[in-house]
């Protein structure tokens, strides 16, 4: 077990002493990032941003997440293991906005700065949260949906979960925008598919069976959106409007093929980069703003190749 050193400026190579008394070299500040998953291309893009910052600032940054976004317990185990290494700071994207709070309190008591990324927690323990304004982004998705279905008709949501801040905020941002601005649009169902494509596909088909006159679906993350695309295809309902979230090769193809109307893209590389940058600032005792908004964009077939949009899309 390593002892932890407080870094107040440029950090040179040092040695930390293990609890056993054995000296071990610690040339770089160690910052682990625990994400919500690893299977989606979104998380690979976040990792790419974190790796970029690690190289730029000469840090040791690790990145891991559970196999699926339903594995809250596994994520908690990863967080526990990371904290046991006494890192200089830690980045955390919570699958459950409350489940990790006891561990985050432990980090706080050990003076390990916590940087929330992508999905925050119901606590003021994190020094900052590096994320998209998911409420505003989902509200934009609702506006696009309304325009595409003529401001009336039945729509449904397939959301990755109802425990993370991203799942809650994207759901509520979309639903509240529809309810407040579009009285002739009826939200007939909201289902949760853990961001799993196969599960989301089956959910989509069951909703279509129950509501054959449905006009639109909002898939609230990469896996959900592709599940919706596949479910609509398998149901043979080519006129249903699909709006997605995030990017990835399959969503980009669906938009280019005209199957998906468009999607909200975040800036995942920016999320990873800003998380590591904020963690380093916190370690050095430098001020960090409470929320770092990494931005979002609407993209569809008309602007998918625009350089500004292409820069924040990923395969």
């Amino acid at each position: 077990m390593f002892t932890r050193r407080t870094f107040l400026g440029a950090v040179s190579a040092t040695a930390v002493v293990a609890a056993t008394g054995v000296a071990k070299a610690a040339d770089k500040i160690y910052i682990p990032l625990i994400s919500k998953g690893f299977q989606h291309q979104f998380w690979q893009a976040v990792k790419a941003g974190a790796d970029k910052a690690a190289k730029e600032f000469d840090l040791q940054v690790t990145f891991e997440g559970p196999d699926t976004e339903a594995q809250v317990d596994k994520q908690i185990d990863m967080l526990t293991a990371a904290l046991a290494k006494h890192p200089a700071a830690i980045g955390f994207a919570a699958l459950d906005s409350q489940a990790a709070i006891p561990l985050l309190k432990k980090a706080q008591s050990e003076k390990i700065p916590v940087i929330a990324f992508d999905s925050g927690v119901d606590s003021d323990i994190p020094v900052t949260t590096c994320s998209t304004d998911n409420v505003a982004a989902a509200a934009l998705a609702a506006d696009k949906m309304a325009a595409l279905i003529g401001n009336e008709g039945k729509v449904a949501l397939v959301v990755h979960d109802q425990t993370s801040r991203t799942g809650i905020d994207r759901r509520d941002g979309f639903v509240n925008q529809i309810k407040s601005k579009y009285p002739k649009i009826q939200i007939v169902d909201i289902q949760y598919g853990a961001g799993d494509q196969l599960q989301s596909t089956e959910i989509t088909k069951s909703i279509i069976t129950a509501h054959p006159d449905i006009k639109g679906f909002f898939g609230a993350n990469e896996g959900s959106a592709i599940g919706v695309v596949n479910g609509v295809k398998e149901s043979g309902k080519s006129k249903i409007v699909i709006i997605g979230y995030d990017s990835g090769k399959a969503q980009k193809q669906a938009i280019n093929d005209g199957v998906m109307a468009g999607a909200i893209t975040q800036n995942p590389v920016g999320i990873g980069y800003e998380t590591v940058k904020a963690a380093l600032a916190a370690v050095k005792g430098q001020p960090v703003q409470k929320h770092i908004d990494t931005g979002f964009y609407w993209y569809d077939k008309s602007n998918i190749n625009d350089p500004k949009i292409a820069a924040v899309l990923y395969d």
Side-chain angles (χ1 to χ4, degrees):
M1 181 182 296
F2 296 111
T3 59
R4 181 174 171 271
R5 175 178 174 181
T6 302
F7 297 83
L8 298 176
V11 180
S12 58
T14 61
V16 291
V17 181
T20 59
V22 179
K24 296 186 179 181
D27 295 336
K28 297 180 180 181
I29 295 175
Y30 170 51
I31 304 171
L33 270 61
I34 309 299
S35 79
K36 290 167 62 178
F38 212 74
Q39 76 280 31
H40 295 152
Q41 290 305 309
F42 174 83
W43 295 115
Q44 297 298 320
V46 175
K47 181 181 183 297
D51 290 344
K52 179 182 177 182
K55 183 176 181 180
E56 180 175 333
F57 300 115
D58 195 26
L59 308 171
Q60 180 188 356
V61 174
T62 57
F63 191 99
E64 63 178 333
D67 297 328
T68 77
E69 294 183 20
Q71 295 176 319
V72 176
D73 290 347
K74 187 171 182 179
Q75 188 189 49
I76 295 298
D77 290 343
M78 289 177 171
L79 180 60
T80 301
L83 289 174
K85 297 176 183 178
H86 298 279
I90 191 163
F92 183 59
L95 280 171
D96 188 307
S97 59
Q98 297 182 356
I101 290 176
L103 283 173
L104 300 186
K105 287 181 177 177
K106 182 176 186 292
Q108 186 180 48
S109 70
E110 295 179 5
K111 302 189 186 306
I112 300 172
V114 176
I115 310 299
F117 67 97
D118 180 69
S119 193
V121 296
D122 294 337
S123 168
D124 61 359
I125 292 173
V127 175
T128 187
T129 300
C130 301
S131 68
T132 305
D133 185 340
N134 284 290
V135 173
L140 175 59
D143 288 337
K144 295 292 185 179
M145 176 68 78
L148 289 165
I149 65 172
N151 295 330
E152 63 179 321
K154 297 178 180 179
V155 301
L157 289 75
V158 179
V159 185
H160 42 297
D161 63 62
Q162 54 187 323
T163 57
S164 72
R165 282 264 43 110
T166 58
I168 294 166
D169 289 348
R170 292 176 198 173
R171 176 196 67 197
D172 292 353
F174 188 95
V175 170
N176 292 339
Q177 187 78 344
I178 292 294
K179 287 183 176 179
S180 65
K181 291 183 64 177
Y182 307 104
K184 293 184 179 181
I185 295 178
Q186 180 186 2
I187 296 173
V188 294
D189 207 348
I190 303 172
Q191 295 285 338
Y192 304 91
D196 180 80
Q197 291 185 22
L198 294 178
Q199 190 174 340
S200 298
T201 298
E202 294 308 311
I203 287 171
T204 300
K205 289 194 293 185
S206 69
I207 293 174
I208 292 172
T209 299
H211 304 280
D213 57 344
I214 194 165
K215 284 190 171 183
F217 277 93
F218 173 48
N221 80 338
E222 182 184 341
S224 304
I226 296 308
V228 169
V229 167
N230 293 338
V232 168
K233 282 182 178 178
E234 291 177 22
S235 297
K237 300 281 190 175
S238 60
K239 293 184 179 181
I240 292 177
V241 173
I242 304 169
I243 289 178
Y245 207 108
D246 295 326
S247 181
K249 186 175 182 179
Q251 274 199 91
K252 290 165 67 176
Q253 188 64 51
I255 288 172
N256 280 322
D257 290 345
V259 178
M260 180 181 287
I264 299 291
T265 181
Q266 305 182 79
N267 179 7
V269 173
I271 290 173
Y273 181 89
E274 292 296 337
T275 298
V276 173
K277 183 179 176 182
L280 178 59
V283 168
K284 291 183 175 182
Q286 297 172 349
V288 180
Q289 63 191 78
K290 195 61 180 173
H291 179 245
I292 298 172
D293 186 348
T294 51
F296 64 87
Y297 304 88
W298 165 261
Y299 70 105
D300 56 22
K301 198 169 184 178
S302 71
N303 70 347
I304 194 170
N305 294 317
D306 184 297
K308 183 179 179 180
I309 299 298
V312 293
L313 300 180
Y314 54 89
D315 286 331

